[in-house]
Amino acid sequence: MLAEHPPSLRNPSLWGLDNELYIGPPWEVLDLPPLGLLLPESLRAYRSEETVGLLADRDTPQPEQARTFLQALMQKKPQWEAWVADLPRSTWMPLSLVTEWGWGTGRRGLVEKPEQVPGLLPLFESVCGPLGGESLGWQAWPAFQAVQVFAIPQPLHQALTQDTTLGPLYNASVLWTAFWQQRIATSDAKKLHVAMLSGPRDVSIWVMEPQKLWHHGRYLVNHSHDLLFHLLRQKEKHGAKILHGPRPLTKDPEVNAALEDAFEQILPLDFQGQGQGIPNLALTRLECLQEGLRIWQAACE
């Protein structure tokens, strides 16, 4: 069983992590809804040859089906008060723009009319490509004076705006940013750090100091050598010496050995398993993400 979590976590549902749907506590795994309902192309990293037919689903709002699905989950677990979604189409911008664009004094929200915000869509689309049937949300991390803007599938956006009991919505990568920053700030090593988090198809890479985010990107991975390439590229570009990530870093011993040689120090996550010492990556990731949510809420709510 997972440890009991403080009330500030507000029993979040961890949604979209590792291409699975987690609910709780107590934690259990649910089947994913159909593509085009809640998890269209914008929520997963698809390779170009796999996108045939997906864009039409993504661009066809289905708010009634989305609300039906969400409400069924709410009835099963009525104590849920927050959603943590994996929304990879995202980019970081200066936090000062939130004030300039008149988004209020809070630390998160939905962008109701992004086309009316001067410069927002060109900035976002230059990194993430054009919006297609999606809305925009935002979540700040004041410790880095940064705000992340991310694409939300239209059905989920409509469900959240029309039924306030389904929110609030947090983006997982912001919570991981908070988690990594605290881990780096409390480590003895004060040099530039790289952190990585691998998914089934991609890897997220952060480069940061305790008080500054230098880079955060998400990269498709076809082979473990792709992961090695992206990590070494960021290492050389920024001069980072320390790597944070799971143990083992990959399933490829050759790549692991190359990373051991490339970085002065590797600080692994503790992947001790639940019960009888069996490693359990999903539970450990859940615990880390919950800690990121706790850190974010303590700083921003």
Side-chain angles (χ1 to χ4, degrees):
M1 295 294 292
L2 291 179
E4 185 174 352
H5 302 292
S8 61
L9 287 177
R10 297 188 296 180
N11 296 336
S13 61
L14 299 179
W15 176 76
L17 183 63
D18 259 353
N19 278 352
E20 290 184 319
L21 174 61
Y22 295 87
I23 65 169
W27 297 106
E28 58 182 290
V29 181
L30 299 181
D31 293 332
L32 287 174
L35 289 173
L37 178 56
L38 289 180
L39 300 179
E41 186 272 340
S42 63
L43 284 185
R44 291 176 175 169
Y46 281 95
R47 302 184 182 96
S48 59
E49 66 271 16
E50 298 172 325
T51 59
V52 177
L54 292 175
L55 296 183
D57 284 334
R58 185 194 69 180
D59 296 344
T60 304
Q62 298 175 335
E64 292 301 326
Q65 288 177 282
R67 281 195 297 273
T68 299
F69 180 82
L70 291 168
Q71 288 166 358
L73 294 182
M74 291 295 293
Q75 291 174 1
K76 184 173 183 180
K77 292 288 182 180
Q79 72 271 28
W80 287 358
E81 296 181 13
W83 291 85
V84 179
D86 182 23
L87 300 161
R89 295 190 65 207
S90 61
T91 188
W92 291 94
M93 301 179 185
L95 183 58
S96 58
L97 290 177
V98 171
T99 302
E100 181 179 329
W101 285 332
W103 289 350
T105 57
R107 298 304 191 187
R108 56 174 173 76
L110 303 173
V111 184
E112 297 301 332
K113 297 180 179 180
E115 68 280 356
Q116 296 182 9
V117 180
L120 173 60
L121 286 182
L123 279 173
F124 182 86
E125 293 180 346
S126 67
V127 177
C128 301
L131 291 177
E134 298 154 303
S135 299
L136 291 181
W138 64 277
Q139 186 175 347
W141 184 229
F144 287 150
Q145 287 299 296
V147 58
Q148 190 184 85
V149 180
F150 44 85
I152 305 172
Q154 193 64 24
L156 178 59
H157 178 266
Q158 292 188 16
L160 290 169
T161 54
Q162 295 182 23
D163 186 347
T164 57
T165 65
L166 299 179
L169 173 68
Y170 303 95
N171 197 5
S173 63
V174 179
L175 306 185
W176 276 106
T177 302
F179 173 84
W180 289 125
Q181 188 208 12
Q182 183 181 74
R183 196 165 190 264
I184 288 169
T186 55
S187 69
D188 294 332
K190 302 304 178 184
K191 300 177 182 179
L192 204 63
H193 295 242
V194 177
M196 59 161 283
L197 187 69
S198 295
R201 296 171 174 269
D202 59 1
V203 61
S204 290
I205 298 175
W206 291 258
V207 183
M208 64 174 71
E209 297 177 69
Q211 301 303 324
K212 183 175 181 179
L213 178 65
W214 287 87
H215 171 80
H216 174 211
R218 190 159 177 162
Y219 304 91
L220 284 173
V221 173
N222 291 291
H223 188 276
S224 57
H225 286 173
D226 296 337
L227 184 148
L228 177 64
F229 168 80
H230 290 302
L231 284 173
L232 294 184
R233 180 173 178 269
Q234 294 304 324
K235 172 187 179 295
E236 295 303 321
K237 180 178 180 181
H238 297 283
K241 306 294 185 182
I242 301 165
L243 175 63
H244 298 253
R247 179 188 287 168
L249 294 168
T250 75
K251 296 180 180 179
D252 187 330
E254 180 184 356
V255 171
N256 291 336
L259 291 172
E260 292 279 358
D261 290 339
F263 287 89
E264 291 183 2
Q265 188 176 7
I266 294 181
L267 302 176
L269 293 176
D270 181 8
F271 273 19
Q272 295 300 316
Q274 304 293 317
Q276 301 181 10
I278 300 174
N280 192 320
L281 173 62
L283 288 177
T284 303
R285 289 168 69 111
L286 286 171
E287 291 170 338
C288 294
L289 193 54
Q290 287 173 319
E291 176 65 8
L293 177 57
R294 184 196 65 79
I295 295 167
W296 192 92
Q297 288 180 332
C300 298
E301 293 187 346

